[in-house]
Amino acid sequence: MGYGNEISSDVCRSCADLWRGDVSKVWAIRHTPVWVFHGGKDNVVPLKASQDMVNALKPINPDVKFTIFPEDGHDSWTSAYNTDSLYTWLLGIKKFKYAKVPVDQELLDTYQGSYYNDLANDTLKITVTTGIVTMIRKKGVTELKPYANDKFFVNENDPVDAVFSGKKRKMQLLINADRQYVYKRIGD
């Protein structure tokens, strides 16, 4: 899919149409500035479809904007393109780029362990040394660089990241690559 790597912003005139209403795919634009416009009287795409997409995107992209033009039908883009603030918003956008940040060693140490993805029948190991988090898989060894306390990237220009959540035995690792892969902590 690759939306996050190909576009720096999205003025989405039919957000629900991006993935045919599949809200599970919004993670692909988690780092893309998005402004959704919808006509309140749209009889082609239900308002709820765009609202569902925005609601799914908000937790992972809190700056997503949503404007409803109450008197517009399906042609809400005409009103959107006549909105001066749209152009100001567009000119202010910068493409997302990962930047490494320091994370407390004690927190990093909590991520260490083995993780299993039952769908792919794949196990990986996270090792932590002073300030360095490493992911070891059959495919090789990869350093994970933090861009937040629980979020890591592999390469500044690659839209792949890894997100830790939970605590101790309930810890899991979500890898966002060509799709989302969930690894659950095992053993320890």
Side-chain angles (χ1 to χ4, degrees), residues 16 51 77 81 89 105 110 112 135 140 159 163 169 172:
Q51 185 66 64
W77 54 85
Y81 293 140
W89 177 77
Q105 184 65 40
T110 66
Q112 187 158 285
M135 178 173 63
V163 180
R169 290 194 171 278
Q172 69 177 24

Side-chain angles (χ1 to χ4, degrees), residues 12-24:
C12 190
R13 60 187 170 119
S14 184
C15 191
D17 208 34
L18 271 178
W19 299 289
R20 304 280 184 240
D22 186 353
V23 297
S24 71

Side-chain angles (χ1 to χ4, degrees), residues 29-65:
I29 56 173
R30 67 196 174 282
H31 299 306
T32 304
V34 176
W35 191 345
V36 179
F37 297 94
H38 202 105
K41 295 181 179 176
D42 189 336
N43 61 0
V44 177
V45 178
L47 178 59
K48 184 181 179 334
S50 286
Q51 185 66 64
D52 289 349
M53 283 294 188
V54 169
N55 289 345
L57 188 55
K58 205 76 154 148
I60 57 174
N61 187 342
D63 296 327
V64 63
K65 295 171 65 102

Side-chain angles (χ1 to χ4, degrees), residues 6 13 83 110 118-120 133 139 147 158 175 184:
E6 296 170 14
R13 60 187 170 119
T83 305
T110 66
D118 55 350
L119 292 176
V133 177
K139 297 176 183 178
Y147 70 95
D158 192 356
I175 298 176
K184 295 185 178 182

